[in-house]
């Protein structure tokens, strides 16, 4: 089969590799019909994730068709159309029992680490993929949900909702600011209304993304490059600050921005993946009575979000801005890597018809 293979920092290839096979009785083999690229994949290619070994097939998002199941798989059958969760779940360890799938203790990949696809085992940017713990790590797709929408449920929609909205404790009537109008930030905006947010402020350097954010639930936009960006945000809150500040970029400056605009008693929800230390001004923040949260997605809300996508309650279709076929995988990476220029949100890569 063909797959996108990591060859070291800055090196990738769409090349022939052996087909995956059943290793454990809880495995399934899935023909990948649609996949996409995450910002994390770009970090890997920069050499920022040293755990990723040379020769690893990248990718942790996908939709496909089950072609083979292990002897212990009971809820799936050959021919089922499924969402591949970005997080493994053995379904029976102490962490999985409380929905903390991001720290599944199953030994696949590494015990205690839920993100394994394209990281510790071969991933989904391939024609076929082996899925461990298939009963708990795959979600059957109902008819009527296109691949381009379903693939958003592998990672970004659960991430924005769980780590941004749920961890941020959004409640009815809240003013929510989302710093970073990339795919995950937009996912947070699109799901903030589920918990009753009254005002959603999109903050970004890119005017195009700010314009797009209104299609995902943003009621206000602020260009973060403006000298008075902070004053603009506070003016939307009568000077009090936002109830919830969601950081969806992953750099020190944007985290600091979030702490500067949250009101006393509010919440800062860090969703961005940080590669550098962040200075935390506790000497200023301790008296503000704020809560700061962070984490890796558990993907324990995927089934619920799937119902909402199926009912067109979440605009998942609008996240798919560019479409490619598998043999255009390298072109897709080029487009996604130049998102500011190409105006790409998510690139959808599908098997040739």
């Amino acid at each position: 089969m063909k797959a996108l293979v990591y060859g070291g920092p800055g090196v990738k290839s769409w090349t022939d590799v052996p087909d995956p096979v059943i290793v454990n009785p809880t495995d399934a083999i899935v023909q990948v019909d649609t996949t996409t690229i995450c910002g994390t994949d770009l970090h890997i290619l920069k050499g920022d994730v040293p755990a990723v070994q040379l020769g690893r097939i990248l990718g942790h998002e996908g939709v496909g068709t089950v072609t083979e199941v292990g002897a212990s798989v009971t809820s799936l059958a050959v021919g089922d159309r499924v969402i591949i969760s970005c997080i493994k779940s053995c379904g029976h360890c102490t962490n999985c029992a409380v929905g903390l799938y991001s720290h599944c203790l199953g030994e696949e990949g590494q015990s205690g680490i839920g993100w394994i696809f394209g990281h510790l085992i071969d991933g989904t940017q391939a024609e076929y993929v082996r899925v461990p713990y298939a009963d708990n790590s795959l979600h059957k797709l109902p008819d009527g949900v296109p691949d381009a929408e379903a693939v958003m449920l592998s990672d970004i929609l659960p991430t924005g909702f769980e780590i941004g909205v749920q961890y941020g404790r959004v409640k009815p009537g809240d003013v929510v600011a989302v710093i970073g109008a990339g795919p995950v930030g937009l996912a947070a905006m699109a799901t903030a209304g589920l918990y009753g947010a009254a005002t959603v402020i999109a903050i970004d350097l890119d005017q195009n993304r700010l314009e797009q954010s209104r299609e995902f639930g943003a009621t206000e936009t602020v260009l973060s490059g403006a000298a008075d960006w902070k004053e603009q945000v506070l003016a939307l809150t009568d000077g009090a600050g936002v109830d919830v500040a969601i950081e969806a970029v992953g750099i020190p400056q944007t985290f600091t921005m979030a702490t500067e605009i949250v009101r006393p008693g509010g919440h800062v929800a860090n969703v961005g993946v940080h590669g550098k230390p962040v200075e935390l001004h506790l000497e200023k923040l301790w008296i503000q009575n704020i809560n700061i949260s962070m984490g890796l997605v558990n993907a324990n809300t995927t089934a619920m979000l799937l119902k909402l996508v199926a009912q067109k309650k979440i605009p998942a279709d609008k996240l798919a801005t560019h479409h490619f076929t598998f043999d255009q995988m390298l072109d897709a990476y080029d487009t996604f890597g130049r998102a500011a220029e190409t105006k790409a949100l998510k690139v959808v890569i599908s098997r040739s018809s």
Side-chain angles (χ1 to χ4, degrees), residues 165 170-171 174-178 188 192 197-202 242-246:
V165 177
V170 174
K171 62 185 184 301
D174 273 357
V175 177
V176 177
V178 181
T199 302
V200 177
I201 307 167
V242 302
D243 298 290
V244 183
I246 298 174

Side-chain angles (χ1 to χ4, degrees), residues 1-5 13-21 28-36 57-59 61-68 82 84 122-131 147 325-329 349-353:
M1 70 171 186
K2 293 280 190 181
L4 194 285
V5 177
S13 58
W14 178 249
T15 189
D16 291 305
V17 297
D19 289 354
V21 297
I29 303 298
V30 176
Q31 172 187 286
V32 180
D33 298 323
T34 297
T35 186
T36 184
I57 297 171
L58 299 187
E61 302 162 273
V63 173
T65 306
V66 175
T67 60
E68 187 179 357
V82 292
I84 303 165
D122 286 336
T124 59
Q125 291 170 8
E127 294 182 301
Y128 294 89
V129 63
R130 178 180 71 90
V131 179
D147 283 11
T325 55
F326 278 8
D327 59 356
Q328 298 171 311
M329 183 71 73
I349 310 160
S350 302
R351 186 174 282 267
S352 299
S353 56

Side-chain angles (χ1 to χ4, degrees), residues 17-104:
V17 297
D19 289 354
V21 297
I22 296 287
V23 175
N24 298 308
T26 53
D27 291 348
I29 303 298
V30 176
Q31 172 187 286
V32 180
D33 298 323
T34 297
T35 186
T36 184
I37 303 169
C38 180
T40 305
D41 298 318
L42 300 184
H43 279 293
I44 291 170
L45 286 166
K46 291 177 182 176
D48 293 344
V49 188
V52 179
Q53 299 177 348
L54 300 184
R56 176 68 65 224
I57 297 171
L58 299 187
H60 54 263
E61 302 162 273
V63 173
T65 306
V66 175
T67 60
E68 187 179 357
V69 295
S72 297
V73 176
T74 59
S75 64
L76 298 162
V78 171
D80 283 345
R81 187 164 159 259
V82 292
I83 297 168
I84 303 165
S85 176
C86 66
I87 299 295
K88 74 177 183 185
S89 169
C90 73
H92 60 260
C93 72
T94 54
N95 287 340
C96 285
V98 295
L100 194 64
Y101 304 155
S102 57
H103 295 281
C104 170

Side-chain angles (χ1 to χ4, degrees), residues 81 83 140-146 149-150 153 157 302-317:
R81 187 164 159 259
I83 297 168
K140 287 185 185 179
L141 262 176
D143 293 337
V145 179
E149 296 180 32
L153 290 155
L157 280 172
T302 303
M304 179 273 288
L305 292 171
L306 173 57
K307 292 178 183 178
L308 295 175
V309 169
Q311 293 297 320
K312 307 300 181 186
K313 299 295 178 63
I314 297 175
D317 58 316

